[in-house]
Amino acid sequence: MSGAALGLEIVFVFFLALFLLHRYGDFKKQHRLVIVGTLLAWYLCFLIVFILPLDVSTTIYNRCKHAAANSSPPESSNITGLYATATPVPSQHPCFKPWSYIPDGIMPIFWRVVYWTSQFLTWILLPFMQSYARSGGFSITGKIKTALIENAIYYGTYLLIFGAFLIYVAVNPHLHLEWNQLQTIGIAAANTWGLFLLVLLLGYGLVEIPRSYWNGAKKGYLLMKTYFKAAKLMTEKADAEETLEDVMEEVRKVNESIKYNHPLRKCVDTILKKCPVEYQEKMGRNMDDYEDFDEKRNAYPSEKSLVKLHKQVIYSVQRHRRTQVQWQILLEQAFYLEDVAKNETSGTCQFVHTFQSPEPENRFIQYFYNPTIEWYWECLLRPWFYRILAVVLSIFSVIVVWSECTFFSTTPVLSLFAVFIQLAEKTYNYIYIEIACFLSIFFLSICVYSTVFRIRVFNYYYLASHHQTDAYSLLFSGMLFCRLTPPLCLNFLGLTHMDSSISHQNTQPTAYTSIMGSMKVLSFIADGFYIYYPMLVVILCIATYFSLGTRCLNLLGFQQFMGDNDMTSDLVDEGKELIRREKRKRQRQEEGENRRREWKERYGHSREDSTRNRNVHIDPKESNFSDISTNRSSKYTRSNNRSERDRIELLQDAEPLDFNAETFTDDPLESESGRYQPGGRYLSMSRSRIFDDV
């Protein structure tokens, strides 16, 4: 079984990263290089988190084996376990090889490849791909040129700092740095930048994740927050539509000015392919391809302006599509939460949906998640489950905060993570060691990574689910993961005292810390910044608990959901009205479709049967007379068969127009029930039919 656990986790983590990328990215529309680059970055970071517990258990076994080789065997041993390869006898040392043991020499090579690949991605390749993806160039060469120009300052800054440091080392005769020491300094600089951002994200996640589950158990909280999101999303949706209209107007002008034989016509055609289909059809109908261009008569746009327009088209179309999809998803969530609020007061113990799901559910799900089970889960069990989960996560958060403030103390050991691992190390319980390490680093990763998925930097960085994340945001998330994961793992090893620079013990280090090099080259970082800076997580947790960041954003004009704010109440009322309006529209559409279906089922078949019977029992004389009259009338006028058939079809397709005085109101929102619908009919909320007596 040697190395089997490593292989299984490598395969599992790959499919996990692929699943998450499929949820946020779009494999069909986005460039393959963007998908591959983001997948590789996510995969390497998740792989470090999942493989590190195996490195810890292997290191503990190697320490035991090394101690057994340098000391006499104990007199007796009573340790047994699932990981024993042989039954211990009194003359043997209690060292049992775990089933997840990784042979010597594999882990250092593995960590070296994973670490340097992730650093190459985050500092060189992914920033270049970001600029390449956002470029509006019409050729590969043009996009590469734009990406190099945009990253010149970015790369030049790092080269300037590194060059100044090399000059300082060369001039100072007391400093003699070798290649390994320079490598360690580079790693320390990257980890310092990552640790600075790590503490900020960790302080937010340690408080916000438990609080989100606790608030989710409150009645009406999620519904109020959904109303708030609806009001903000409607504003963003309207702004996206207006921006798209303005950009399409610019495209229309360019399309009309640059004719078919213009040298830049290929660029215009490329821009048109990125436009929505309805705009392409409008521009195609209004275009005159037979008119030649005249350079002296008209002023044509330059290629640089077309590149800028191309970039605007890509951004506006993607934003418009994203807001449309998010609006539909938010409507479904709001309708479902309203159904939950209604079913909480129901005594039937059957969950009733206002609207049926447009997609057919799986039979397996319908059988095991029937309306009764759904009612018990949504109305009774889910709130209590969220409360228990919030309490458990709060306990984990307190343990993390306490350990971050005390992990530098080795005598006595105050870090709870170090206490748990050392207790398991005394008994060589590898199952407990791996589970404890995995749960600890998994919780830290969830707090950090969930914040990366939640934050939004205006419209430049935003991870939107349901395949609505743009290429720039995907690549930016890959950069953040690659910069945050190495310091996160080093911080975890420090919390468990598996890092010799923290524990100050002459023990065998893990394979992960061995590739990082000795931090003694930069003692002010190893003994100062790495130890005392994580204590700031306490201040950040307090600020997050009292929502200081949210209040500051509200003061700056960025509306955030706060229960004790007048602006929040106004946006909640606005979102509630928007959801109510959309709900009425969908109800009218469903009622119209049901009336049309019932009308066709009730009168369509009876009309066909009566017509068939009338044709069978018709008199031959009348048939001849009708033929003669039809032939005679055809000389002077058009036959009535077509008009009669049209009249019948009109009656079949006609929809009853209802009027109910009780539903008449002066409210403009209520009066929408009488608006003209896209299907060419008027709908109402009344259930009476004026053709029932026909």
Side-chain angles (χ1 to χ4, degrees):
M1 296 295 291
S2 178
L6 179 62
L8 291 176
E9 291 198 359
I10 288 175
V11 176
F12 172 76
V13 172
F14 175 78
F15 285 103
L16 176 63
L18 187 65
F19 170 76
L20 291 177
L21 183 58
H22 177 265
R23 175 177 174 81
Y24 288 91
D26 193 347
F27 290 170
K28 295 181 180 180
K29 296 181 180 179
Q30 289 173 342
H31 199 279
R32 293 182 179 179
L33 293 178
V34 174
I35 298 296
V36 172
T38 307
L39 177 62
L40 184 59
W42 289 16
Y43 173 61
L44 293 178
C45 296
F46 297 162
L47 195 62
I48 295 176
V49 173
F50 277 82
I51 301 298
L52 192 61
L54 303 182
D55 190 8
V56 172
S57 62
T58 301
T59 303
I60 292 176
Y61 171 74
N62 290 332
R63 290 177 180 179
C64 176
K65 186 172 62 175
H66 181 72
N70 296 332
S71 62
S72 59
E75 297 179 357
S76 63
S77 176
N78 296 323
I79 297 175
T80 58
L82 297 174
Y83 291 89
T85 56
T87 303
V89 294
S91 61
Q92 290 180 339
H93 194 275
C95 293
F96 304 101
K97 181 183 295 185
W99 75 278
S100 59
Y101 175 75
I102 300 173
D104 297 337
I106 294 179
M107 289 306 299
I109 299 175
F110 176 81
W111 288 129
R112 190 172 290 109
V113 171
V114 170
Y115 177 78
W116 288 112
T117 303
S118 63
Q119 295 304 301
F120 173 76
L121 288 174
T122 186
W123 296 106
I124 297 178
L125 185 60
L126 293 183
F128 178 82
M129 293 180 65
Q130 272 187 308
S131 301
Y132 183 89
R134 294 194 65 183
S135 174
F138 300 99
S139 61
I140 298 177
T141 305
K143 291 184 177 181
I144 293 176
K145 182 180 178 181
T146 304
L148 290 176
I149 294 174
E150 290 183 357
N151 287 273
I153 301 176
Y154 179 80
Y155 295 125
T157 304
Y158 291 107
L159 291 177
L160 181 62
I161 296 174
F162 186 72
F165 177 77
L166 290 180
I167 294 174
Y168 173 75
V169 172
V171 172
N172 194 340
H174 300 286
L175 294 178
H176 301 282
L177 296 180
E178 299 178 356
W179 169 250
N180 293 333
Q181 294 175 334
L182 289 176
Q183 178 180 331
T184 302
I185 292 174
I187 294 174
N191 290 336
T192 302
W193 190 97
L195 183 63
F196 178 79
L197 183 60
L198 174 68
V199 173
L200 297 178
L201 300 180
L202 184 63
Y204 176 82
L206 288 174
V207 176
E208 189 62 29
I209 292 178
R211 183 165 58 183
S212 63
Y213 282 103
W214 183 264
N215 291 333
K218 298 179 181 178
K219 289 186 178 181
Y221 177 83
L222 293 179
L223 186 58
M224 294 298 104
K225 193 171 184 179
T226 304
Y227 289 152
F228 179 83
K229 291 180 179 179
K232 291 188 63 177
L233 185 58
M234 175 56 72
T235 303
E236 183 182 358
K237 180 171 170 286
D239 183 58
E241 293 175 353
E242 183 179 356
T243 303
L244 182 64
E245 290 288 342
D246 296 339
V247 174
M248 290 299 106
E249 181 65 21
E250 295 294 329
V251 174
R252 184 190 63 80
K253 295 179 181 179
V254 171
N255 182 50
E256 292 179 354
S257 62
I258 298 180
K259 303 303 178 181
Y260 72 99
N261 54 352
H262 195 280
L264 297 177
R265 184 62 203 180
K266 294 182 179 180
C267 301
V268 177
D269 294 336
T270 303
I271 296 175
L272 290 176
K273 291 179 182 179
K274 304 295 177 62
C275 299
V277 179
E278 57 271 17
Y279 290 99
Q280 293 183 19
E281 294 176 354
K282 293 179 181 179
M283 297 175 189
R285 289 194 299 264
N286 297 331
M287 180 179 176
D288 187 6
D289 289 340
Y290 298 98
E291 183 179 354
D292 296 337
F293 78 95
D294 187 3
E295 295 181 354
K296 299 180 180 179
R297 186 178 59 184
N298 297 326
Y300 296 97
S302 61
E303 185 177 359
K304 186 177 181 180
S305 62
L306 291 180
V307 169
K308 183 179 179 181
L309 180 61
H310 187 204
K311 186 176 180 179
Q312 293 176 352
V313 168
I314 295 174
Y315 169 75
S316 60
V317 171
Q318 199 279 333
R319 185 188 176 197
H320 178 263
R321 186 187 302 114
R322 186 190 70 214
T323 53
Q324 294 292 334
V325 174
Q326 288 180 334
W327 176 251
Q328 297 300 325
I329 296 172
L330 190 63
L331 288 179
E332 297 296 335
Q333 293 177 355
F335 295 157
Y336 187 77
L337 291 175
E338 289 180 347
D339 292 340
V340 172
K342 291 180 181 178
N343 284 274
E344 285 179 350
T345 58
S346 175
T348 59
C349 297
Q350 296 283 330
F351 197 91
V352 180
H353 293 269
T354 304
F355 303 107
Q356 296 297 328
S357 177
E359 300 179 357
E361 295 183 356
N362 191 1
R363 293 182 179 179
F364 180 81
I365 298 177
Q366 290 179 352
Y367 180 77
F368 288 98
Y369 195 66
N370 52 43
T372 303
I373 297 177
E374 186 177 4
W375 186 88
Y376 277 102
W377 167 251
E378 293 292 342
C379 301
L380 294 179
L381 299 179
R382 187 179 63 84
W384 286 104
F385 175 76
Y386 276 13
R387 291 189 184 98
I388 296 173
L389 183 60
V391 172
V392 173
L393 293 177
S394 300
I395 294 174
F396 268 96
S397 298
V398 172
I399 293 175
V400 171
V401 173
W402 171 261
S403 300
E404 290 286 357
C405 296
T406 59
F407 74 95
F408 59 88
S409 177
T410 57
T411 52
V413 178
L414 299 179
S415 174
L416 296 180
F417 290 106
V419 171
F420 297 152
I421 297 301
Q422 289 179 5
L423 289 176
E425 186 177 359
K426 292 179 180 179
T427 59
Y428 298 98
N429 190 345
Y430 296 107
I431 292 180
Y432 177 81
I433 291 173
E434 293 177 2
I435 292 177
C437 290
F438 176 76
L439 291 179
S440 302
I441 194 172
F442 184 75
F443 178 72
L444 293 174
S445 303
I446 290 297
C447 293
V448 175
Y449 292 163
S450 63
T451 309
V452 174
F453 281 96
R454 287 185 180 186
I455 60 175
R456 177 175 180 177
V457 184
F458 300 104
N459 288 315
Y460 295 99
Y461 172 74
Y462 180 39
L463 289 177
S465 58
H466 299 84
H467 322 291
Q468 299 304 314
T469 306
D470 58 350
Y472 184 87
S473 298
L474 287 176
L475 295 172
F476 190 77
S477 66
M479 291 171 54
L480 286 179
F481 285 158
C482 290
R483 297 181 186 183
L484 291 171
T485 304
L488 174 65
C489 295
L490 284 178
N491 182 255
F492 165 75
L493 294 176
L495 295 177
T496 57
H497 288 184
M498 295 298 296
D499 190 354
S500 59
S501 62
I502 301 298
S503 61
H504 301 288
Q505 297 177 359
N506 190 14
T507 57
Q508 181 181 356
T510 60
Y512 186 80
T513 54
S514 63
I515 68 166
M516 296 294 176
S518 177
M519 291 294 137
K520 295 181 180 179
V521 180
L522 300 174
S523 59
F524 67 94
I525 293 180
D527 299 331
F529 185 79
Y530 282 176
I531 292 177
Y532 298 105
Y533 179 73
M535 295 181 184
L536 291 178
V537 74
V538 179
I539 300 176
L540 293 172
C541 288
I542 295 174
T544 306
Y545 180 79
F546 291 102
S547 303
L548 297 182
T550 303
R551 299 179 189 277
C552 292
L553 290 176
N554 275 329
L555 292 177
L556 294 176
F558 301 98
Q559 290 82 11
Q560 302 294 318
F561 184 75
M562 296 181 62
D564 55 349
N565 192 355
D566 295 336
M567 181 62 68
T568 301
S569 301
D570 295 340
L571 290 176
V572 167
D573 294 338
E574 181 182 351
K576 187 176 182 179
E577 187 64 31
L578 291 172
I579 297 299
R580 189 161 64 92
R581 182 187 304 175
E582 295 292 335
K583 191 173 185 178
R584 288 200 306 267
K585 289 181 180 179
R586 183 169 296 187
Q587 287 176 345
R588 290 196 299 268
Q589 290 176 359
E590 288 191 355
E591 289 179 358
E593 293 176 357
N594 293 333
R595 286 198 298 267
R596 189 182 303 104
R597 189 182 304 109
E598 292 177 2
W599 177 262
K600 290 183 179 180
E601 291 177 356
R602 180 178 300 181
Y603 302 108
H605 298 292
S606 61
R607 184 178 293 106
E608 292 177 359
D609 295 338
S610 61
T611 305
R612 188 181 301 108
N613 294 332
R614 186 169 60 251
N615 292 334
V616 172
H617 297 287
I618 192 171
D619 190 3
K621 294 182 181 180
E622 294 180 0
S623 176
N624 295 334
F625 178 77
S626 63
D627 294 339
I628 295 172
S629 61
T630 301
N631 294 332
R632 182 179 304 169
S633 62
S634 62
K635 296 180 182 179
Y636 303 101
T637 183
R638 186 175 296 177
S639 176
N640 293 330
N641 291 334
R642 182 178 181 86
S643 60
E644 184 67 22
R645 185 169 61 252
D646 294 340
R647 190 181 300 112
I648 293 174
E649 292 178 355
L650 182 61
L651 288 175
Q652 290 178 349
D653 295 335
E655 184 180 344
L657 178 63
D658 302 337
F659 177 79
N660 189 359
E662 296 178 356
T663 61
F664 184 80
T665 180
D666 294 331
D667 189 358
L669 296 176
E670 297 290 343
S671 63
E672 281 194 4
S673 59
R675 288 184 179 178
Y676 186 76
Q677 299 295 322
R681 60 186 182 278
Y682 287 93
L683 304 178
S684 68
M685 300 296 292
S686 174
R687 295 183 178 273
S688 62
R689 299 178 178 86
I690 62 176
F691 288 111
D692 286 347
D693 297 332
V694 175

